[in-house]
Amino acid sequence: MYGLCGCCWALRPRYKRLVDNIFPEDPEEGLVKANMEKLTFFALSAPEKLDRIAAYLSERLTRELNRHRYGYVCIAMEAMEQLLLACHCQSINLLVESFLSTLRLLLEADKPHLHILATNSFVKFANIEEDTPSYHRSYDFFVSRFSEMCHSDHEDLDTRNKIRVSGIRGLQGVVRKTVDDELQVNIWEPRHMEQIVPALLVNLQQHSQNDSGSPAEQTEVCFRELLCRAAYGHINNAIKPVLMHLDSHSLWQGRGFAVQCFQIIMYSIQSQHSHLVIQQLLGHLDANSRSPASVRAGIVEVLSEAAVIEATGSVGPTVLEVFNTLLRQLRQSVDYQLTGYYDNGGKHKTSSIEEKKLQDAVIKTIGSFANTLPIYQRSEVMLFIMGKIPVPGIYPALGSPNSGFEGSRMIQVMLLKSLLQVSEHYESSNLLTALPSSFLEPLLSFTLMEDPEIRLLVLSILTSLIDRRHNASRLTTASVAFDVSSLEMKEDRCSRQDNLFMRKHAQRLYRHVYLASREENSGRSHYQALFTLLAVLSVELANEEVVVDLIRLILALQEMTLSNQECLSVFNRCGIHALCAAFLNLLSQLGPPPTLHQHITQVIESRQKDAPHLLPEVMFCDKPRLPEGELKVDEALLFIQSKICEALAGSSYSAHCERFNTPYTPQLTEEDRLSKRKSIGDAVSLQVDMDLPFCPDTPQKPQTEHITFETLKNAIEDRGVVEEEERRKRMEVVERFQTAPFEEIAAQCGARTSLLQSKLNQVFELIIRPPPSPSGHSAPRSTPVYEMKFPDLCVY
């Protein structure tokens, strides 16, 4: 009887007859709408029949697909879609399994238009909100199939683009369907992300078309939607495939796709999660530390762009770790540049040009990161970078054994450039917090280094930190033609905190300016930087006492150029004279009485007439005109202390004029002596004294010296000779420790230990020896307390 029902159409079940009625005789006529309404009404009236209706529709679609009757296939899919949309949410599970199995059949076919049809149906299904959870669905097939469609290489370009767009829309549907349902497959698992993300990135590189239907346009929409739905624990799984794709396709080089990709990522994810992306990039940079310089530079460039976007969010808890990683990359790059290889085996060569590009990118990135931080954290970052810079006498061990002294110098330059990047955008109303002693003292020690580039960087850093009102840009060129009224400089009354800062650190600043100005290898840029620093000091922190001290400093510099004891070249002497003229011309217009400006102007006019080589316009040009032979300066060309005192008399500055009676003389400290070195590598065994070799057979006699006025006078006059002798001895010590065998150094240290022990024995003898008797006879030697033997029952 059951078989007869199958043969006789009238005896077939009603749901089958309703399904058969929706198919027209000619597939071109499309779905029979009236019969489709009847089928929908029946499905809604008898929801328990939904699974049978869906199964029969799937059977009809499979049969038509096998017969290649694609018109009826489209009609069956349309009917199934309408049933999905019409059924209530609690009944949709009865349809879904048959619907998804039908889509699998279409996606497995070899017809592109069937793939597009299946994808469109899946997208409609993905947009349906379900209230009833499902525990047994699997979307693994759709993830892999849609990802495969994104890589389509069809011969026809138009067909290829349509297939790729369909694959992208399918992935977007999978994400929408699964991302918010905890009972569904976890789309954030690595096995799914490793399929989805590369499929999207491949199409994101397509820029040939700009219309809204291009793969690149659709991919960006899908990629942003995927990332914006990522929670805290999903960021790493989404970013790791991006890094792997960029590595495998060599896309880090240049400012191109990698930057664009991470710009999309940073703008799409939630701002509070942005620091996770930064951490991923930093870890990837460490993992590629032995990759070509172009790859490392590309990653650093991406980091820089990501930091700018991250300014609205937070850098996260590992702020200093960011800078630590970047500074470590600088040190490795210096090693690679000096050795010529970026691996330990010496197989992969690198060039200085590529490494310098990387170093510039790292320095720029450090500045970008620092700009995203609040003011108080920037101060910590500057202290952190300063702690990494090899300060003479404090950090003698630096770099790798391959880098040597040149590597140490290069690292010093790189880290100071990084510090300059941070300081250029640092703004603080209180210099006591911007320049604490722990930061200022090691920074100033670099003004005495023999390397001119290091000194110039330090001067620029000091200027940028003190210049809170951004006047330095107007004072970069030293000139005697400055008109302060036309410069439109911003001046404010010196605050109480500024006065405290100058009382605490002014003498240290003056001393280092004085010592830095007499360096033999100083050039035009150094004197211009010194002028800018002094000008910013006078604008930012000047009061009556500071102005008088600055004038004393300038007079001391002028006196130094006239002294024959200083080993200065003609250019250095003329440069210092030009510096003094330019600064006094500016200072005299910032508040002192007009009579001071008149004296300064009179001296400048005399120099313009008789000695133009003492002015900055002539000395600080590309081709300075130096006088022939020795430099001779008449008194009319000098700034006279007595005339300056007369000009300041009767004003608010007169209360401090008695300070002119004491000429400014910088006090050389141990810090200054230690800083006068070519590199930090010379700071080996600084305290070793090689004056007197130890001879055990020679009796040691106590030496006393009577200090008189003549002794002090000679010591002051011969200070330059003494310093030169001390410097020569230190260089001998350094050379000995660098070249001598280890056995010789150990023997010498052992001899010094014996000498110390003998001195201690002499001290002990003096302590336990009784005083001499008046009669001249020495008293018998008493037994020391520590050698006495007391009986066991002795009562103390």
Side-chain angles (χ1 to χ4, degrees):
M1 192 68 179
Y2 180 78
L4 293 176
C5 293
C7 297
C8 182
W9 186 84
L11 298 177
R12 293 167 63 86
R14 185 181 180 186
Y15 73 90
K16 288 189 177 182
R17 282 180 285 149
L18 292 174
V19 170
D20 291 337
N21 288 335
I22 67 174
F23 293 94
E25 294 183 0
D26 187 0
E28 293 182 359
E29 296 179 3
L31 182 67
V32 181
K33 296 183 179 180
N35 294 334
M36 186 64 210
E37 292 177 358
K38 295 179 181 179
L39 177 61
T40 304
F41 179 77
F42 176 78
L44 294 175
S45 302
E48 69 276 2
K49 299 291 183 68
L50 276 174
D51 55 341
R52 300 180 185 180
I53 296 173
Y56 185 63
L57 269 174
S58 177
E59 180 184 345
R60 283 293 304 262
L61 186 144
T62 305
R63 184 168 54 201
E64 304 299 343
L65 181 63
N66 294 333
R67 295 175 180 179
H68 304 288
R69 300 168 67 178
Y70 301 117
Y72 289 119
V73 172
C74 296
I75 292 174
M77 283 305 307
E78 184 179 356
M80 197 169 289
E81 292 172 7
Q82 291 190 19
L83 285 176
L84 279 172
L85 295 174
C87 293
H88 296 291
C89 295
Q90 62 269 20
S91 305
I92 198 174
N93 285 332
L94 300 174
L95 286 169
V96 169
E97 287 303 319
S98 298
F99 175 75
L100 294 179
S101 63
T102 303
L103 293 182
R104 293 191 188 97
L105 290 175
L106 297 180
L107 291 173
E108 289 174 351
D110 57 352
K111 299 296 181 180
H113 68 279
L114 296 180
H115 300 167
I116 298 173
L117 175 65
T119 303
N120 294 335
S121 298
F122 184 84
V123 171
K124 293 178 182 178
F125 164 69
N127 292 329
I128 299 176
E129 296 184 1
E130 299 184 52
D131 294 336
T132 305
S134 177
Y135 300 91
H136 57 281
R137 291 184 198 168
S138 175
Y139 296 96
D140 294 355
F141 170 80
F142 295 98
V143 171
S144 60
R145 191 69 184 95
F146 289 143
S147 300
E148 184 181 350
M149 291 172 62
C150 293
H151 294 278
S152 174
D153 56 351
H154 198 276
E155 297 178 356
D156 183 51
L157 179 60
D158 187 41
T159 304
R160 182 197 311 165
N161 288 337
K162 289 181 179 179
I163 296 175
R164 290 193 173 192
V165 169
S166 297
I168 295 166
R169 295 179 65 240
L171 290 176
Q172 189 175 9
V174 173
V175 172
R176 289 179 180 177
K177 198 65 179 176
T178 60
V179 72
D180 295 327
D181 192 349
E182 297 180 356
L183 299 175
Q184 300 289 351
V185 61
N186 187 4
I187 201 65
W188 302 108
E189 291 181 359
R191 60 191 180 94
H192 295 310
M193 286 290 104
E194 290 173 3
Q195 293 180 355
I196 295 175
V197 173
L200 297 177
L201 295 181
V202 167
N203 291 277
L204 193 61
Q205 296 176 244
Q206 306 295 326
H207 299 286
S208 57
Q209 299 182 10
N210 296 322
D211 59 318
S212 58
S214 66
E217 183 74 18
Q218 292 292 328
T219 301
E220 184 173 346
V221 174
C222 180
F223 197 33
R224 290 182 182 275
E225 183 174 351
L226 174 68
L227 294 170
C228 73
R229 294 172 179 267
Y232 182 85
H234 303 149
I235 295 294
N236 292 339
N237 291 340
I239 300 301
K240 187 176 180 180
V242 177
L243 301 176
M244 295 173 59
H245 180 81
L246 296 176
D247 286 340
S248 59
H249 293 274
S250 302
L251 297 175
W252 289 111
Q253 290 85 345
R255 181 184 174 88
F257 176 70
V259 174
Q260 176 198 359
C261 184
F262 274 90
Q263 284 177 343
I264 295 175
I265 293 174
M266 296 301 294
Y267 281 120
S268 300
I269 64 175
Q270 302 176 37
S271 60
Q272 65 268 25
H273 300 159
S274 57
H275 67 276
L276 295 175
V277 182
I278 301 298
Q279 291 178 2
Q280 284 278 80
L281 285 171
L282 289 172
H284 197 66
L285 181 60
D286 279 339
N288 286 270
S289 59
R290 302 202 179 278
S291 298
S294 57
V295 174
R296 286 176 279 137
I299 301 175
V300 171
E301 185 72 20
V302 170
L303 268 170
S304 177
E305 295 295 330
V308 174
I309 300 172
E310 195 191 19
T312 57
S314 61
V315 180
T318 57
V319 177
L320 297 182
E321 184 61 29
V322 173
F323 295 94
N324 192 31
T325 301
L326 294 174
L327 296 179
R328 184 166 59 248
Q329 291 297 322
L330 272 181
R331 294 196 176 197
Q332 290 179 352
S333 178
V334 169
D335 293 341
Y336 297 159
Q337 181 179 351
L338 293 175
T339 59
Y341 298 93
Y342 60 84
D343 62 337
N344 292 333
K347 298 180 180 180
H348 303 285
K349 292 185 178 181
T350 186
S351 63
S352 298
I353 298 177
E354 293 179 348
E355 294 297 337
K356 287 181 180 178
K357 290 181 180 178
L358 169 64
Q359 294 160 9
D360 294 340
V362 173
I363 293 172
K364 176 186 174 184
T365 304
I366 290 175
S368 300
F369 268 110
N371 294 337
T372 65
L373 301 176
I375 296 297
Y376 72 93
Q377 281 190 332
R378 295 187 200 181
S379 178
E380 294 178 0
V381 169
M382 289 194 297
L383 285 172
F384 180 76
I385 297 177
M386 178 58 67
K388 296 292 183 179
I389 301 176
V391 181
I394 300 178
Y395 301 105
L398 173 71
S400 66
N402 299 329
S403 60
F405 294 158
E406 178 62 20
S408 302
R409 188 199 69 83
M410 292 175 63
I411 293 175
Q412 289 174 344
V413 172
M414 297 301 167
L415 297 183
L416 285 174
K417 286 182 177 179
S418 304
L419 192 59
L420 179 60
Q421 284 283 330
V422 180
S423 63
E424 284 180 347
H425 301 279
Y426 181 80
E427 297 180 0
S428 176
S429 58
N430 189 355
L431 285 179
L432 286 174
T433 58
L435 289 170
S437 300
S438 59
F439 177 80
L440 184 61
E441 291 180 3
L443 181 64
L444 286 176
S445 66
F446 283 99
T447 59
L448 307 178
M449 299 290 287
E450 293 186 358
D451 191 289
E453 186 178 5
I454 291 178
R455 298 201 308 272
L456 187 60
L457 286 171
V458 173
L459 293 175
S460 301
I461 294 170
L462 283 172
T463 303
S464 61
L465 290 174
I466 298 175
D467 181 34
R468 296 167 298 177
R469 300 178 181 89
H470 308 288
N471 292 315
S473 58
R474 306 177 180 88
L475 302 168
T476 54
T477 304
S479 174
V480 295
F482 267 133
D483 185 3
V484 175
S485 59
S486 63
L487 291 178
E488 299 180 356
M489 290 189 298
K490 302 176 183 178
E491 300 180 55
D492 289 332
R493 184 73 177 174
C494 193
S495 64
R496 178 176 177 272
Q497 290 84 359
D498 294 342
N499 290 331
L500 291 176
F501 173 80
M502 292 304 292
R503 290 176 183 175
K504 185 176 182 181
H505 300 295
Q507 296 303 319
R508 186 180 291 110
L509 286 171
Y510 300 154
R511 182 177 76 246
H512 284 273
V513 169
Y514 181 90
L515 298 176
S517 62
R518 68 178 186 179
E519 293 291 338
E520 300 175 3
N521 54 2
S522 293
R524 176 185 64 180
S525 57
H526 293 83
Y527 292 116
Q528 289 180 344
L530 285 170
F531 166 77
T532 305
L533 176 59
L534 291 173
V536 169
L537 273 175
S538 60
V539 173
E540 292 280 343
L541 305 170
N543 52 32
E544 288 80 0
E545 182 179 357
V546 172
V547 169
V548 171
D549 285 341
L550 288 173
I551 296 176
R552 291 176 60 228
L553 174 63
I554 295 300
L555 294 176
L557 290 175
Q558 180 180 263
E559 186 66 25
M560 179 178 63
T561 59
L562 303 176
S563 175
N564 294 327
Q565 296 182 0
E566 299 291 340
C567 300
L568 297 175
S569 63
V570 177
F571 174 80
N572 293 130
R573 296 177 187 272
C574 293
I576 295 175
H577 278 294
L579 168 65
C580 296
F583 177 66
L584 284 179
N585 174 66
L586 176 68
L587 186 64
S588 62
Q589 303 179 57
L590 294 178
T595 52
L596 176 63
H597 184 59
Q598 293 176 3
H599 170 62
I600 303 300
T601 304
Q602 181 180 359
V603 175
I604 290 175
E605 291 176 353
S606 301
R607 292 186 178 185
Q608 290 174 343
K609 181 179 179 180
D610 301 328
H613 53 271
L614 301 181
L615 297 175
E617 285 78 4
V618 177
M619 286 304 303
F620 300 155
C621 61
D622 294 334
K623 296 181 179 180
R625 299 191 300 269
L626 298 176
E628 298 180 357
E630 296 183 1
L631 178 64
K632 296 181 180 180
V633 183
D634 296 335
E635 186 176 355
L637 305 177
L638 298 176
F639 302 102
I640 307 302
Q641 175 182 332
S642 58
K643 294 184 179 181
I644 293 176
C645 291
E646 293 176 1
L648 296 178
S651 64
S652 59
Y653 298 87
S654 59
H656 305 278
C657 285
E658 70 275 3
R659 298 171 67 90
F660 285 110
N661 298 328
T662 305
Y664 176 77
T665 303
Q667 298 180 356
L668 292 178
T669 62
E670 187 65 22
E671 171 198 1
D672 302 330
R673 296 191 186 98
L674 299 182
S675 299
K676 188 64 178 175
R677 305 183 179 279
K678 292 183 179 180
S679 71
I680 186 58
D682 297 339
V684 180
S685 300
L686 296 172
Q687 305 301 327
V688 178
D689 185 9
M690 300 297 293
D691 294 341
L692 295 174
F694 172 68
C695 298
D697 298 336
T698 304
Q700 302 293 330
K701 297 181 179 180
Q703 298 180 359
T704 60
E705 181 179 0
H706 297 284
I707 300 176
T708 62
F709 175 77
E710 293 296 330
T711 305
L712 296 175
K713 181 179 179 181
N714 295 333
I716 295 175
E717 292 179 354
D718 298 338
R719 182 170 52 193
V721 179
V722 172
E723 288 182 2
E724 185 65 26
E725 183 66 20
E726 290 180 354
R727 180 183 176 185
R728 184 186 62 80
K729 291 178 180 179
R730 288 196 300 270
M731 293 303 296
E732 290 179 358
V733 173
V734 170
E735 183 178 0
R736 178 173 302 181
F737 272 82
Q738 291 175 350
T739 58
F742 175 77
E743 292 78 7
E744 180 180 344
I745 298 175
Q748 183 180 2
C749 294
R752 291 192 172 277
T753 304
S754 302
L755 176 61
L756 176 62
Q757 187 62 40
S758 64
K759 292 289 186 180
L760 291 175
N761 292 335
Q762 293 179 10
V763 172
F764 291 150
E765 289 292 334
L766 292 175
I767 292 175
I768 64 176
R769 182 179 302 165
S773 61
S775 60
H777 300 285
S778 59
R781 182 177 181 273
S782 61
T783 304
V785 176
Y786 58 86
E787 293 183 2
M788 293 183 179
K789 294 183 179 180
F790 296 94
D792 297 337
L793 300 178
C794 179
V795 179
Y796 295 95

